[in-house]
Amino acid sequence: MSVNIDRYESAVARYFEAWNAGEPEALAKAVAAAWSVEGTYSDPLASVTGHTEIAGLIAGAHAQFPGFAFRPLGAVDGHHDTARFAWELVSEADGSAPVAGFDVITLDRDGRIRSVLGFLDRVPAGA
């Protein structure tokens, strides 16, 4: 089972690298490393497909929350090609975390993300 746990944790680490990449070139590279070519991302506020749209979504989150970073909360849990994990969006200035949720990912045979289903547990008013 540790092989699968390592696979899930590696995929989630690449996921957070993508969400925390700041520069457009680094973001594009991180998204390509984390997601399959036709990978998807869906949460209550967005539904996108492919590297370009996923990178655009992430860039939009950075624009809406400048100076914030996504951080994992707790352990990654998974079975077969599916994993789940919790996260929060943390201010690098004061440590506040106005946004939190959890995601469920499915992986392709190479360990890259095929799909993300995101759930938002905490969202500031007006976001």
Side-chain angles (χ1 to χ4, degrees):
M1 180 150 164
S2 67
V3 171
N4 283 334
I5 294 298
D6 290 346
R7 180 174 183 238
Y8 306 139
E9 288 176 351
S10 179
V12 171
R14 288 190 311 273
Y15 176 85
F16 281 106
E17 287 174 21
W19 276 97
N20 289 318
E23 299 299 319
E25 186 175 313
L27 175 55
K29 186 175 182 178
V31 167
W35 271 270
S36 63
V37 173
E38 295 186 11
T40 63
Y41 177 93
S42 178
D43 70 21
L45 304 174
S47 184
V48 296
T49 301
H51 292 171
T52 301
E53 290 183 8
I54 293 167
L57 175 70
I58 292 170
H62 284 274
Q64 186 175 3
F65 293 97
F68 283 76
F70 287 89
R71 302 282 185 245
L73 286 175
V76 176
D77 182 30
H79 62 82
H80 297 87
D81 290 331
T82 304
R84 66 179 177 166
F85 55 93
W87 54 267
E88 63 184 352
L89 183 62
V90 180
S91 168
E92 295 173 347
D94 66 11
S96 64
V99 183
F102 76 92
D103 292 349
V104 176
I105 62 173
T106 57
L107 304 176
D108 68 12
R109 66 179 173 193
D110 296 323
R112 290 172 51 203
I113 298 168
R114 285 189 323 205
S115 68
V116 176
L117 295 175
F119 296 84
L120 302 173
D121 297 325
R122 182 173 60 238
V123 179

